[in-house]
């Protein structure tokens, strides 16, 4: 029997990263390919205590069905936390989701008809392309510069009438780039008198280990923005707890879509996470993650400075988990991947983060899941592979001349 799948299943690519992660499952490989938080940062004991407390004190209710919007004290906690950026959020504007990844799907579901335009950054988060791709939109992209989106290009794209602009303004996955205060203001300004919704995906905002803390886009834009958040990078990704912070007129539709998708996110997990948040010094915990990642980021930047040949460019992120490398024009990071894997080091070739398969000379490196020694060794091996590739490309040029 031949299965009759929906058209959308033929337009969505399987996650390239998932394919790569299969290759790098071997523990002898130093992998900068994944996007995993450091498991040493997981508050295992504290979450154990929170779980026991929830079960002992309110086990029956914690195991019951609950509301689609999510556990009210947790939504109030999330809303309150925005106050540190001068944002007055109301718990009614917060919807608990199953990771922020579900937020992407719900946004796609309530806004996108087949053929609608979605603007994304260039490059952008791969799984956002995959998630929105399910609704068969047309993607357009807006280049990223060192200090955020190219605002002139954004203005032009907005004139073409996209429904959504998807952005990761803080420590972007894959580049580590952060919008400056100026860029945030300018980007918000570009959305004045425009119907497109600004989708602000902010999983890394709390993981700033240097530089000036900047508020989410919501602070710069009164409305017309949905801010996504998650506990994946500050508590644990396995708990699958995220949220959408959206204006009430959008919230109604999101709740309807969420109800149809899964009734609600695990109530038990919501109760446990809330208990953990209520009983612990969460800000202190986040500071520990920041210091841990700063050490790892510094180890990677220093190793790159030391070993990479001239002509290779890279970002120096002030937070988050990723760093972006641009090889000299003409070099292929896919070819580099094949060479590096022989020497047991892995990364993600950058092509996957572009809507049109360009960016062939780019790559993403993750530093949060390797310790300093492995980062040093891995970058040294990667540098060796880059040098070999450079040598080979010089020979190619000579061959052509001959
Ligand atoms: N958005 C971005 C930019 C991410 O990097 C990630 C995690 N890789 C997610 C969303 C999804 O995170 P989660 O579903 O775990 O909250």
């Amino acid at each position: 029997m031949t299965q009759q799948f929906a058209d959308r299943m033929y337009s969505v690519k399987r996650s390239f990263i998932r394919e790569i992660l299969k290759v790098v499952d071997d523990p002898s490989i130093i992998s900068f390919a994944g996007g995993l938080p450091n498991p040493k940062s997981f508050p295992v004991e504290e979450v154990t205590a929170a779980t026991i407390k929830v079960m002992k004190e309110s086990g029956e209710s914690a195991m019951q069905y609950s509301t689609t919007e999510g556990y009210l004290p947790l939504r109030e906690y999330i809303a309150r936390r925005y106050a540190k950026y001068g944002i007055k959020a109301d718990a009614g504007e917060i919807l608990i989701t199953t990771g922020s990844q579900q937020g992407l799907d719900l946004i796609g579901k309530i806004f996108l008809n087949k053929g609608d335009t979605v603007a994304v950054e260039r490059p952008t988060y791969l799984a956002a392309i995959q998630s929105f791709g399910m609704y068969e939109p047309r993607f357009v992209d807006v280049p990223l510069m060192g200090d955020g989106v190219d605002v002139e290009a954004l203005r032009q794209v907005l004139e073409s009438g996209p429904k959504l602009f998807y952005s990761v303004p803080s420590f972007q996955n894959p580049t580590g780039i952060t919008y400056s205060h100026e860029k945030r203001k300018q980007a918000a300004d570009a959305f004045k008198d425009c119907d497109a919704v600004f989708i602000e995906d902010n999983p890394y905002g709390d993981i700033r280990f240097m530089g000036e803390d900047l508020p989410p886009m919501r602070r710069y834009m009164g409305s017309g923005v949905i801010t996504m958040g998650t506990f994946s990078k500050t508590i644990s990704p396995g708990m699958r707890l995220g949220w959408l912070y959206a204006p009430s007129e959008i919230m109604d539709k999101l709740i309807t879509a969420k109800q149809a998708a899964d009734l609600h996110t695990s109530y038990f997990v919501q109760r446990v996470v809330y208990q953990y948040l209520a009983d612990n010094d969460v800000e202190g915990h986040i500071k520990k993650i920041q210091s841990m990642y700063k050490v790892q980021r510094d180890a990677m930047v220093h190793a790159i400075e030391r070993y990479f040949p001239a002509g290779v460019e890279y970002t120096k992120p002030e937070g988050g988990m990723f760093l972006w490398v641009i090889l000299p024009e003409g070099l292929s990071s896919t070819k580099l991947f094949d060479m590096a894997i022989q020497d047991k080091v892995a990364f993600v070739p950058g092509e996957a983060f572009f809507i049109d398969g360009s960016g062939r000379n780019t790559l993403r490196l993750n530093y949060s899941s390797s310790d300093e020694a492995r980062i040093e060794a891995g970058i040294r091996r990667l540098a060796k592979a880059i040098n070999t590739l450079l040598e080979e490309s010089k020979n190619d040029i000579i061959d052509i001349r001959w």
Side-chain angles (χ1 to χ4, degrees), residues 18 25 165 232 251 291 300 303 332 341 344 355 360 376:
R18 209 170 312 126
D25 233 3
F165 170 56
S232 286
M251 186 49 81
S291 339
M300 188 167 273
S332 154
I341 209 80
K344 296 204 175 290
I355 57 172
R360 295 192 49 198
E376 217 261 351

Side-chain angles (χ1 to χ4, degrees), residues 35 98-102 104 125 166 168 173 201 203-204 228-233 237 240-242 322:
T98 304
S100 48
Q101 193 65 33
Q102 185 185 37
L104 289 171
Y125 173 48
Y166 170 74
V168 187
N173 178 2
D201 189 2
Y204 304 105
M228 303 165 52
T230 181
F231 291 110
S232 286
K233 320 294 167 179
R240 309 304 305 126
L241 216 54
F322 304 103

